[in-house]
Amino acid sequence: MYDMERSVKSFLDSSEFKEGDKKGIDVPVFNLESILEATNYFSNENKLGEGGFGPVYKGIFLGGQEIAIKRLSSHLGQGLEEFKNEVVLIAKLQHRNLVRLLGYCIKGDEKILLYEYMANKSLDTFIFDRTLCLSLDWEKRFDIILGIARGLLYLHQDSRLRIIHRDLKTSNILLDEEMNPKISDFGLARIVKGKETEANTMRIVGTYGYMSPKYALDGLFSIKSDVFSFGVIVLEIVSGKRNTGFYQSKQALNLLGYAWRLWNEEKALDLMDQTLIESCNRGEVFKCINVGFLCVQEDPRDRPNVSNVLSMLTNEATTPLPNPKEPAFVAKKWISFAPSSSFDKPETSHSNNELTVSTEPGR
């Protein structure tokens, strides 16, 4: 186990992609010509969307096989690092709630990843759209929450490598034909050694609204950083609202602030997406809100691990869940809304880490 861990980390830490490195990659190499034909030379008609590190296209190969093709943008300085992360890590991870890597291509400046095609795109496409959200009743939303948690548990505990995702968000949760969730986009993921559960970085990259305070301010990331992001996702799935860019009230910075106010007023169920009123199991909804708040508590030590999260969500016993402490808030005053930029730290922080934050588009 640890020998594989060391070899993978050594490859990821190197600044090159050598011919010999291909031997350690568990998925096939595709030739560029076949990819160009499958995507009609990366035509706009085949474009599925824009990921954090480049556009994603639908490709149709011989026999009609549909594949999602991510073309890493050559102008991104960290492109090789993210490419190596994905091609190595996803190839070694296999779980029904993780997107499956089918192959890769590297030729000249082109760095391309090929994934199983997800017919329903990403979770944010549905829950934040007032029409498409109608196709996600409560039972399906609860199944999606459980699926994300199971995928995360595999990354943190059950896989051959202990992985911290670092960029968990609704747009990185893909949905297959049956609306089963699959965690995607491992470009920022990190391996932690053995039984370690945290690490730090000089390069802080993530998405505003999903980043835990310790990571955003100090560069300290851990499995509890992913738990924080998961908690935000749970509250977004329940409410149908984004954590950022929705609330205008001075009393609530974001969805977490608004939801916390409802919780303190004993009106937690008012947070629920109104389209769920007829289909919801009120006990499950309340449980999800409670667990969501436990996950976004300010102190990482107070947050449950994913194993405990799953236990709380699936336990049908009437034992009350712990009461959450006030959630962490990210002060808007020091975060710019320019997509993917570097920022100086607030005066209260003495870290020299570089901070790069992406913003999710508003509704």
Side-chain angles (χ1 to χ4, degrees):
M1 169 74 83
Y2 295 141
D3 287 343
M4 183 183 72
E5 213 172 65
R6 279 195 294 271
S7 66
V8 170
K9 283 185 69 66
S10 174
F11 170 60
L12 293 180
D13 291 342
S14 68
S15 58
E16 304 178 83
F17 192 103
K18 303 168 187 168
E19 190 64 28
D21 291 331
K22 296 179 181 179
K23 295 177 183 177
I25 298 174
D26 300 335
V27 292
V29 181
F30 280 63
N31 68 65
L32 182 59
E33 290 71 24
S34 67
I35 294 171
L36 292 173
E37 289 180 17
T39 60
N40 193 19
Y41 291 81
F42 297 117
S43 70
N44 285 332
E45 290 77 16
N46 286 52
K47 192 172 182 179
L48 296 173
E50 192 83 24
F53 301 106
V56 180
Y57 298 85
K58 179 179 179 179
I60 302 177
F61 288 79
L62 290 176
Q65 183 184 17
E66 296 176 327
I67 294 180
I69 298 169
K70 181 192 287 188
R71 186 186 191 191
L72 271 71
S73 297
S74 57
H75 68 274
L76 292 171
Q78 295 293 331
L80 179 61
E81 181 182 339
E82 273 76 39
F83 177 82
K84 288 163 60 177
N85 243 16
E86 296 224 25
V87 79
V88 173
L89 294 186
I90 303 184
K92 294 187 181 298
L93 301 173
Q94 294 186 4
H95 188 274
R96 69 187 302 266
N97 295 116
L98 302 183
V99 70
R100 189 159 56 97
L101 183 70
L102 301 178
Y104 72 99
C105 172
I106 183 163
K107 186 171 183 180
D109 291 335
E110 290 285 3
K111 302 178 189 72
I112 298 168
L113 297 163
L114 297 91
Y115 302 94
E116 59 179 324
Y117 175 68
M118 296 287 107
N120 285 309
K121 300 185 180 179
S122 54
L123 178 58
D124 62 323
T125 304
F126 282 83
I127 60 171
F128 301 135
D129 185 283
R130 291 298 84 195
T131 300
L132 292 178
C133 72
L134 298 174
S135 60
L136 291 181
D137 61 12
W138 173 249
E139 182 179 5
K140 179 49 64 180
R141 293 195 198 202
F142 189 55
D143 285 345
I144 288 171
I145 290 171
L146 293 179
I148 300 168
R150 291 186 181 112
L152 202 53
L153 178 63
Y154 173 80
L155 292 177
H156 289 180
Q157 181 177 306
D158 296 338
S159 71
R160 293 184 290 170
L161 300 168
R162 187 184 291 265
I163 305 291
I164 300 173
H165 188 281
R166 294 208 304 165
D167 199 22
L168 202 64
K169 54 186 175 181
T170 53
S171 60
N172 282 343
I173 307 299
L174 304 185
L175 301 171
D176 69 11
E177 288 183 350
E178 298 176 351
M179 305 299 278
N180 295 309
K182 294 177 185 281
I183 299 171
S184 71
D185 211 334
F186 287 77
L188 302 181
R190 290 292 179 269
I191 301 172
V192 287
K193 298 176 183 176
K195 295 184 178 180
E196 291 179 13
T197 58
E198 67 179 29
N200 63 0
T201 181
M202 293 300 292
R203 179 177 173 246
I204 304 171
V205 183
T207 302
Y208 178 74
Y210 295 93
M211 296 169 70
S212 67
K214 284 271 188 186
Y215 179 47
L217 293 171
D218 303 320
L220 183 67
F221 61 89
S222 69
I223 59 174
K224 297 298 184 72
S225 309
D226 282 349
V227 169
F228 181 91
S229 304
F230 173 78
V232 174
I233 290 172
V234 168
L235 295 173
E236 289 185 329
I237 290 173
V238 168
S239 67
K241 298 178 175 67
R242 295 185 187 275
N243 185 30
T244 57
F246 187 87
Y247 293 98
Q248 305 297 324
S249 169
K250 293 180 181 178
Q251 295 174 309
L253 290 173
N254 48 26
L255 176 62
L256 298 188
Y258 173 75
W260 184 246
R261 191 173 71 204
L262 291 176
W263 178 269
N264 285 327
E265 293 171 357
E266 299 187 354
K267 298 177 181 177
L269 290 176
D270 288 357
L271 181 67
M272 180 176 58
D273 190 330
Q274 294 300 296
T275 65
L276 300 175
I277 289 177
E278 292 185 9
S279 68
C280 80
N281 176 322
R282 296 173 76 85
E284 284 181 350
V285 172
F286 187 85
K287 185 192 298 185
C288 286
I289 294 172
N290 195 336
V291 169
F293 276 129
L294 291 172
C295 292
V296 297
Q297 294 175 107
E298 183 142 13
D299 190 334
R301 293 171 296 184
D302 293 329
R303 298 174 206 150
N305 58 37
V306 186
S307 179
N308 289 336
V309 165
L310 265 172
S311 178
M312 288 187 283
L313 289 174
T314 57
N315 190 351
E316 295 183 3
T318 56
T319 308
L321 298 180
N323 280 320
K325 298 177 183 177
E326 183 172 302
F329 303 123
V330 179
K332 285 187 176 181
K333 63 183 179 182
W334 65 271
I335 297 286
S336 165
F337 284 91
S340 295
S341 303
S342 295
F343 305 100
D344 293 330
K345 286 305 195 37
E347 293 180 3
T348 54
S349 172
H350 300 285
S351 168
N352 291 320
N353 296 344
E354 176 190 351
L355 173 63
T356 303
V357 179
S358 300
T359 57
E360 291 288 273
R363 286 178 53 191

